[in-house]
């Protein structure tokens, strides 16, 4: 038993609020506004949303607490944190592999995340130029089609977004990461509320809400259960070390349980608001809810084109979406950057540039997957059309993140000295016992059942 009081060489958040903002900045991103609506649309709505909410509550929150707890205990990059904690708890050094898997997942996710963020970035300028004024649903579809079929444009926007991400990461914990999110998150929330009011005037508000909230379990497939669970990890930034590394900068006296619940709640509210905006517009304009990754880009411009001050609101909306993506992107590469600084003696600037270049190169694959390299395949009964983008998305969100989360739960719940986790979480006896019960019994089994279900060993369809 060791009672370690480590400090992080990378600095610390200025306080509890800074951590909440940064972690919420990581959690709230394209996952909430771009991905959640389109996967909810593809998977039939209500029942999928219910499973996703359940996963947030019983899998997401306990794992978030575990991940922050491990990070703060280890106070290093996830790779070194896991190595240190494994040694401290008498476990094999192979646990550092959890950190490595996270670093790889981070690269893979950011490589496509940046391309999608590039779409949002290009839409800032499209909105500002008045291109959406009075546009029809066919018009927006063709505007979107022109963008994704042009590899040059996609690469250019991807490049701009990656450079912006590297700049913030290079500046470091307090200056770079923290300042970026302080004002932007509340503003994004406000704009979403304005859009919900607009959605209420489309005449299809109730239809949209009922699509999103009334569960029809006949629409659920094995693949959609996995997608819902994978998305719970993705949207909360769990399972790859982003939240762990942010936890390693957390001051000692901050309550991990309270902050985790606040972050998960904020993230969920943003996703649900986005859904409440998108689906009424989808139904009011006779669009297809299952139209895939382009969904928000094919629906929101119609709203901006019709509403009062649509140019301003549309421009601001896409700009804020880019910022939300930005504050998530920085957390995707922070684990790798922290490791390079710790183990390779690089300064943050070099480390960020290296990581950025590798990610940028990998992003080319995604940029081309929507046009010249597009191919179709089927996964768990669902048709995928954007080749490598879909492969990357499934491999990371649906497989690597839940696997990482499973290992985090096992380590925190079963392999770490209880005295250490208790001390770090610093909760009431009953709160701690509930958490321990969840990470020991509920979370790992839930993840395993969903995995086994999808590979067809168990069948719950
Ligand atoms: N949570 C982010 C989003 O919803 C994506 C992300 C995943 C960020 C994993 C960090 C780690 O957009």
């Amino acid at each position: 038993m060791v009672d370690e009081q480590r400090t992080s060489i990378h600095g610390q958040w200025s306080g509890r609020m800074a951590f909440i903002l940064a972690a919420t900045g990581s959690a709230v991103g394209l996952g909430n506004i771009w991905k959640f609506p389109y996967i909810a649309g593809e998977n039939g709505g209500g029942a999928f949303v219910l499973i996703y909410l359940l996963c947030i509550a019983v899998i997401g929150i306990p794992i978030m607490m575990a991940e922050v707890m491990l990070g703060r205990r280890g106070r290093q990059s996830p790779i070194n944190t896991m190595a240190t904690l494994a040694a401290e708890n008498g476990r094999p050094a192979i646990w550092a592999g959890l950190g490595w898997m996270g670093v790889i997942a981070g690269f893979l996710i950011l490589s496509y995340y940046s391309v999608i963020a590039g779409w949002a970035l290009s839409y800032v300028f499209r909105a500002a130029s008045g291109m959406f004024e009075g546009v029809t649903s066919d018009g927006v579809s063709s505007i979107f089609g022109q963008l994704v079929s042009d590899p040059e444009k996609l690469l250019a926007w991807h490049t701009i977004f990656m450079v912006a991400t590297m700049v913030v990461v290079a500046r470091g914990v307090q200056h770079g990461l923290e300042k970026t999110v302080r004002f932007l998150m509340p503003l994004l929330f406000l704009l979403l509320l304005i859009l919900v009011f607009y959605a209420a005037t489309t005449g299809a508000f109730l239809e949209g809400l009922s699509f999103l909230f009334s569960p029809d379990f006949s629409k659920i497939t094995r693949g959609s259960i996995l997608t819902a669970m994978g998305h719970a990890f993705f949207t909360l930034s769990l399972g790859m070390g982003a939240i762990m590394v942010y936890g390693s900068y957390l001051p000692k006296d901050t309550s991990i349980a309270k902050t985790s619940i606040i972050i998960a709640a904020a993230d969920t509210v943003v996703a649900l608001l986005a859904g409440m905006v998108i689906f009424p517009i989808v139904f009011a304009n006779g669009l297809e809810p299952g139209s895939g990754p382009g969904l928000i880009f094919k629906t929101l411009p119609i709203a901006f084109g019709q509403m009062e001050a649509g140019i301003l609101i549309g421009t601001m909306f896409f700009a804020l979406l880019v910022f939300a993506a930005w504050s998530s992107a920085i957390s995707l590469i922070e684990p790798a950057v922290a490791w390079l600084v710790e183990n390779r003696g690089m300064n943050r600037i070099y480390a960020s540039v290296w990581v950025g270049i590798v990610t940028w190169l990998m992003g080319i694959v995604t940029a081309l997957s929507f046009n010249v390299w597009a191919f179709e395949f089927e996964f768990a009964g669902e048709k995928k059309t954007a080749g490598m983008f879909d492969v990357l998305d499934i491999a990371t969100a649906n497989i690597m993140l839940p696997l990482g989360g499973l290992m985090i739960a096992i380590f925190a719940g079963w392999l770490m000295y209880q005295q250490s986790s208790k001390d770090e979480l610093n909760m009431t006896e009953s709160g701690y016992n509930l958490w321990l019960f969840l990470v020991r019994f509920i979370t790992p089994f839930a993840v395993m059942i969903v995995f086994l279900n999808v590979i067809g060993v168990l069948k719950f369809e």
Side-chain angles (χ1 to χ4, degrees):
M1 226 336 289
V2 209
D3 181 28
E4 280 293 347
Q5 287 292 336
R6 280 176 277 265
T7 49
S8 168
I9 61 163
H10 309 281
Q12 251 194 33
W13 304 114
S14 59
R16 168 186 133 108
M17 197 54 198
F19 171 72
I20 292 180
L21 283 168
T24 310
S26 165
V28 174
L30 295 173
N32 308 61
I33 293 168
W34 158 75
K35 192 172 181 190
F36 172 72
Y38 95 72
I39 57 176
E42 282 180 339
N43 290 284
F48 173 88
V49 174
L50 199 66
I51 298 174
Y52 150 79
L53 291 175
L54 206 69
C55 290
I56 296 280
V58 300
I59 302 180
I61 294 176
I63 292 193
M64 181 175 287
M65 290 171 58
E67 206 176 319
V68 176
M69 185 268 287
L70 295 178
R72 188 165 71 182
R73 195 79 187 164
R75 291 267 187 230
Q76 298 154 71
S77 66
I79 296 172
N80 291 329
T81 284
M82 287 314 299
T84 305
L85 294 182
E88 186 176 299
N89 292 277
R91 305 296 170 187
I94 185 80
W95 277 96
L98 175 56
W100 281 108
M101 186 173 78
V103 165
I104 295 168
F107 275 111
L108 295 174
I109 295 175
L110 186 57
S111 77
Y112 70 80
Y113 203 83
S114 166
V115 174
I116 312 291
W119 297 358
L121 197 52
S122 82
Y123 269 60
V124 175
F125 297 93
R126 286 157 187 240
S129 72
M131 200 187 236
F132 302 144
E133 290 296 276
V135 77
T136 60
S137 49
D138 288 340
V140 268
S141 288
S142 92
I143 292 177
F144 179 72
Q146 277 161 18
L147 173 68
V148 294
S149 60
D150 184 342
E152 260 173 47
K153 277 197 192 131
L154 294 189
L155 284 176
W157 291 115
H158 160 59
T159 307
I160 297 172
F161 185 81
M162 270 317 301
V163 171
T165 302
M166 282 174 345
V167 169
V168 180
V169 178
R171 300 197 59 196
V173 174
Q174 282 209 0
H175 303 286
L177 309 192
E178 203 176 306
K179 296 223 169 88
T180 325
V181 278
R182 182 139 263 165
F183 300 105
L184 301 172
M185 289 295 118
L187 208 57
L188 179 69
F189 188 75
L190 193 75
L191 269 198
L192 273 175
L193 283 182
I194 295 178
L195 287 174
V196 172
F197 279 107
Y198 167 83
T201 67
T202 54
F205 195 50
L206 291 181
E207 202 182 334
L209 291 194
S210 109
F211 179 79
L212 200 57
F213 294 115
S214 58
D216 172 0
F217 283 96
S218 68
K219 297 202 173 132
I220 288 299
T221 63
R222 284 187 272 158
S224 50
I225 301 177
L226 178 69
T227 306
M229 179 183 75
H231 188 64
F233 283 94
F234 184 85
T235 192
L236 294 177
S237 306
L238 296 177
M240 52 71 63
I243 288 294
M244 196 184 290
V245 79
Y246 276 16
S248 76
Y249 310 142
L250 185 64
K252 179 76 190 160
D253 50 2
T254 310
S255 157
I256 291 178
K258 275 192 211 133
T259 45
S260 299
I261 291 170
I262 294 173
I263 296 159
D267 185 79
T268 307
V269 169
V270 172
L272 294 179
L273 284 178
M276 290 164 66
V277 173
I278 307 286
F279 290 109
I281 303 176
V282 167
F283 294 118
N285 294 283
L287 295 161
E288 175 47 49
S291 61
L295 187 67
I296 67 159
F297 298 96
K298 294 180 192 163
T299 48
L300 290 177
I302 303 179
F304 298 134
Q306 286 172 357
M307 66 210 272
E308 213 49 59
I311 296 191
L312 180 70
I313 294 180
T315 311
M316 275 174 62
F317 179 84
F318 284 114
L320 288 169
L321 181 58
V322 172
F323 281 116
W326 201 9
S327 61
S328 301
I330 57 187
S331 72
L332 281 162
I333 46 174
E334 180 65 19
V337 169
W339 183 80
L340 286 173
V341 172
E342 287 163 11
N343 289 45
R344 290 285 171 268
M346 282 191 199
N347 67 28
R348 280 193 74 88
I349 301 181
Y350 275 116
S352 311
V353 170
W354 274 113
V355 170
I357 290 174
V358 173
T359 319
W360 178 81
L361 285 171
M362 290 176 8
I364 297 175
V365 172
T366 296
L368 299 183
S369 74
F370 291 98
N371 35 68
V372 286
W373 281 352
F375 61 83
E376 291 185 0
F377 68 97
E378 227 181 74
F379 176 75
E382 279 163 41
K383 205 165 170 179
K384 304 287 175 189
T385 52
M388 281 312 288
F389 159 72
D390 286 315
V391 170
L392 284 170
D393 178 38
I394 292 170
T396 53
N398 293 3
I399 298 169
M400 293 173 89
L401 299 186
L403 203 60
L406 176 66
M407 284 160 65
I408 288 169
I410 292 173
F411 191 89
W414 292 98
L415 304 181
M416 193 174 180
Y417 293 120
Q418 274 188 33
Q419 197 49 47
S420 305
S421 57
K422 206 177 214 161
D423 174 46
E424 203 63 49
L425 287 169
N426 195 14
M427 303 164 77
T428 60
E429 191 68 24
S430 55
Y432 177 78
N433 288 337
L434 174 64
W435 171 80
L436 193 63
F437 174 75
L438 289 171
V439 285
R440 283 193 150 184
F441 298 106
I442 305 300
T443 307
F445 290 104
V447 175
M448 276 190 291
I449 287 171
V450 177
F451 273 157
L452 294 179
N453 182 37
V454 87
I455 53 179
V457 180
L458 290 168
K459 286 215 165 114
F460 288 112
E461 264 183 279

